[in-house]
Amino acid sequence: MIVHPHMTIYPSTVPAELERAAEAYDAAAERLRGVLARLPDYLADLDRAKEVNWDSMTSDAYRSVLSLLRVPAEVMTSEVAALAAEADSIAADLRYYAQQARSLMTLLSLANGVPAGMEAASDTASEWIEGLWQESQDALNSTAARFTEFIERHGGIPTLLEHGRR
C-alpha cells in the first residue's frame, strides 16, 4: 500500500463497533424468527391436546387451561414478528452508520487539516470550519454512540466536509 507522506490515517474502532452491534441485532432477529416458526406447531399441539375428552370435571378444567395457553401464543405471534422487523431495521441503521464512519475516515485521511480552498474564508467561517473538522475527528475517535449522535445531528457527513475534499 502506498501512503502519501502528507496523508494522515485515522484509525477508528467505530465502524467495527457498529458492525458488531448490527450482527447482534441480526442474530436477535433470527432467534425471534425461530420462535415465530415454532408457534404454529405449539398452537397445533394445543389443538390436539384439546381433543382429549374425559367424562369428568377435570376434562373441562384441562380444556380451559389449554384455551388460556392459546391466547398468549396468538398475541406473541404479532409481537415477535414486530420485534424481528424492528431488529432488522436497527441492524440496517447500524450498517448505515458504519458506512458513514468508513466514509468519514476516508475523507479525513485524504485531506490533512481544513479542506482545500477553505483557508480563504473569513475568520469566523474559518473557525467554524476548523471546529467542524475537529468535531468530525473527535466523533470518529470516540464511541459508536457519540459518532451516531454526530451523524444524526448533521444529517449525515457534513456537506461542507464532503465538498471541501473535492
Side-chain angles (χ1 to χ4, degrees):
M1 177 168 106
I2 299 174
V3 178
H4 190 276
H6 300 292
M7 179 189 280
T8 304
I9 304 298
Y10 289 95
S12 175
T13 60
V14 169
E17 288 176 47
L18 291 164
E19 287 292 342
R20 278 192 304 275
E23 289 169 7
Y25 275 96
D26 284 338
E30 190 61 35
R31 283 189 294 268
L32 288 166
R33 281 190 283 280
V35 169
L36 194 57
R38 285 185 231 133
L39 283 173
D41 291 338
Y42 174 76
L43 292 171
D45 288 344
L46 286 177
D47 290 340
R48 278 192 298 280
K50 209 169 183 179
E51 292 173 5
V52 173
N53 191 6
W54 302 307
D55 284 330
S56 70
M57 290 177 56
T58 305
S59 178
D60 293 337
Y62 174 75
R63 276 202 249 345
S64 294
V65 168
L66 290 175
S67 295
L68 291 174
L69 292 173
R70 185 172 201 53
V71 173
E74 290 170 347
V75 170
M76 194 182 325
T77 300
S78 62
E79 289 293 320
V80 169
L83 287 172
E86 184 67 22
D88 286 333
S89 176
I90 291 169
D93 289 347
L94 290 167
R95 284 196 174 84
Y96 164 78
Y97 288 125
Q99 181 55 45
Q100 291 288 295
R102 285 188 291 275
S103 295
L104 186 57
M105 284 172 53
T106 300
L107 179 94
L108 294 177
S109 294
L110 292 176
N112 192 7
V114 177
M118 298 294 180
E119 301 87 2
S122 71
D123 287 343
T124 305
S126 181
E127 287 175 18
W128 183 78
I129 293 166
E130 183 66 37
L132 181 61
W133 191 261
Q134 187 60 47
E135 183 185 6
S136 299
Q137 291 174 339
D138 292 346
L140 263 178
N141 293 325
S142 186
T143 64
R146 165 77 173 85
F147 178 78
T148 57
E149 181 272 326
F150 169 79
I151 291 295
E152 287 175 2
R153 189 166 17 94
H154 289 284
I157 295 174
T159 310
L160 186 63
L161 294 177
E162 288 181 335
H163 289 312
R165 187 186 79 184
R166 293 185 188 125

